[in-house]
Amino acid sequence: MIKLDLSQTIGESVTINPELVRVYMDYGVDFCCGGDRTVKEAIERDTDEVEKLIAEAEKAMEQASQFSVGSSSMKLSDFSTDQLIDRIVSQHHSYLKKELPVISELMFTILMVHGDNHPELFEIHKVFGGLKTELEGHLVKEERMLFPKLRANDADCKALIEELEAEHDGAGDALHQLTDLTDHFKLPEDACTTYQVVYEKLKVLVADMYMHVHTENNVLFKRFA
Ligand SMILES: [Fe+2]
Ligand SMILES: [Fe+2]
């Protein structure tokens, strides 16, 4: 039986076992902004269900280790820099380029239909709009400015990395705000199908952004710190 290492930092624990991301998210454990805390500190502080979380984490690790017998078993920390960047662009950046405009359009639709009954939608719409604008600029900085330098192993990138990490913190704040404003994406009684789709898409956005920012901050950027 694989054991969850409580003395690792939580950042290390998801670097070595990315399958833990989902478990930590389900229990509201912040592994992203608080990545330097130990697993023990993080789970004891962020959840009341420590025993349950540990059992689920160990089950997830067990499943991942069985799954990793095949050829697609590489862990993020074993990826080369080129492989990491390819993965970030093809999975996370492509996802954002496709989904941000879709969510934006649907968000405006539910604001028009439900805004009078659900005034919180005005704030959700505003926070999402700010996040979308920030992320679009951020993707361009990474793809056009930073990633070519990292691929070329150019050491002159520390200031840019710091700027992008600060933007990650800003995006993290916006995602926390969206989680709070939607009361953890709980749908109101009168929610229509579009409302449901928007909340579902926001939930996926939060999960994907956690993995995305984690891959950059804790794995890729760390190599150039
Ligand atoms: Fe990125
Ligand atoms: Fe980023």
Side-chain angles (χ1 to χ4, degrees), residues 88 93 138-139 142 147 212 216:
I88 289 165
H93 288 200
H138 182 85
L139 296 182
E142 287 183 341
F147 290 170
H212 178 180
E216 290 173 352

Side-chain angles (χ1 to χ4, degrees), residues 110 114 118 120-121 187-188 191-199:
I110 63 168
H114 298 275
H118 294 285
E120 72 277 10
L121 283 175
L187 285 166
C192 62
T193 310
T194 310
Y195 215 126
Q196 288 175 27
V197 172
V198 170
Y199 272 33

Side-chain angles (χ1 to χ4, degrees), residues 55-72:
E56 260 185 58
E58 290 177 348
K59 198 169 139 209
M61 289 160 77
E62 198 75 48
Q63 280 169 350
S65 72
Q66 284 161 4
F67 177 75
S68 69
V69 176
S71 57
S72 58

Side-chain angles (χ1 to χ4, degrees), residues 2 21 38 41 51 75-76 81 87 93 108 114 132 146 161 164 182 188 190 192-193 201 210-212 215 222:
I2 300 172
V21 166
T38 65
E41 284 165 354
E51 296 301 316
K75 291 165 181 154
L76 282 181
T81 294
R87 184 189 154 93
H93 288 200
F108 186 49
H114 298 275
K132 176 177 179 286
L146 182 68
I161 286 181
L164 293 164
T182 57
D190 60 340
C192 62
T193 310
K201 282 184 181 289
Y210 264 93
M211 199 60 213
H212 178 180
T215 308
K222 224 172 191 171

Side-chain angles (χ1 to χ4, degrees), residues 88-89 92-93 96 135 138-139 142-143 147 164 168 209 212-213 216 220-221:
I88 289 165
V89 172
H92 302 298
H93 288 200
L96 287 173
L135 283 176
H138 182 85
L139 296 182
E142 287 183 341
E143 290 185 20
F147 290 170
L164 293 164
H168 289 166
M209 277 297 295
H212 178 180
V213 168
E216 290 173 352
L220 180 63
F221 294 178

Side-chain angles (χ1 to χ4, degrees), residues 169-207:
D169 290 344
D173 290 344
L175 295 169
H176 283 303
Q177 267 181 284
L178 288 173
T179 307
D180 285 345
L181 288 165
T182 57
D183 194 13
H184 292 258
F185 310 100
K186 202 155 33 144
L187 285 166
E189 296 261 305
D190 60 340
C192 62
T193 310
T194 310
Y195 215 126
Q196 288 175 27
V197 172
V198 170
Y199 272 33
E200 194 44 51
K201 282 184 181 289
L202 285 178
K203 231 155 97 180
V204 174
L205 173 69
V206 172

Side-chain angles (χ1 to χ4, degrees), residues 28-178:
V29 174
D30 188 347
F31 60 86
C32 197
C33 304
D36 291 333
R37 300 182 297 170
T38 65
V39 172
K40 188 172 189 299
E41 284 165 354
I43 62 178
E44 283 178 353
R45 192 188 165 113
D46 291 355
T47 178
D48 297 329
E49 300 177 288
V50 171
E51 296 301 316
K52 229 172 119 194
L53 180 150
I54 291 174
E56 260 185 58
E58 290 177 348
K59 198 169 139 209
M61 289 160 77
E62 198 75 48
Q63 280 169 350
S65 72
Q66 284 161 4
F67 177 75
S68 69
V69 176
S71 57
S72 58
S73 65
M74 271 171 65
K75 291 165 181 154
L76 282 181
S77 50
D78 295 330
F79 279 51
S80 70
T81 294
D82 279 332
Q83 286 174 318
L84 269 179
I85 293 172
D86 289 345
R87 184 189 154 93
I88 289 165
V89 172
S90 68
Q91 296 206 359
H92 302 298
H93 288 200
S94 299
Y95 157 77
L96 287 173
K97 287 173 197 166
K98 184 171 160 280
E99 285 296 301
L100 289 174
V102 175
I103 301 173
S104 177
E105 199 181 322
L106 295 174
M107 178 84 79
F108 186 49
T109 302
I110 63 168
L111 179 68
M112 284 195 292
V113 178
H114 298 275
D116 49 353
N117 281 330
H118 294 285
E120 72 277 10
L121 283 175
F122 285 92
E123 194 60 23
I124 293 167
H125 174 256
K126 201 156 98 185
V127 171
F128 174 78
L131 175 67
K132 176 177 179 286
T133 303
E134 283 293 317
L135 283 176
E136 285 165 349
H138 182 85
L139 296 182
V140 174
K141 285 185 199 169
E142 287 183 341
E143 290 185 20
R144 307 292 297 182
M145 294 154 74
L146 182 68
F147 290 170
K149 278 179 186 270
L150 301 188
R151 285 189 195 273
N153 214 4
D154 183 341
D156 180 28
C157 57
K158 287 192 174 50
L160 186 51
I161 286 181
E162 277 174 25
E163 182 182 329
L164 293 164
E165 282 178 337
E167 290 179 5
H168 289 166
D169 290 344
D173 290 344
L175 295 169
H176 283 303
Q177 267 181 284
L178 288 173

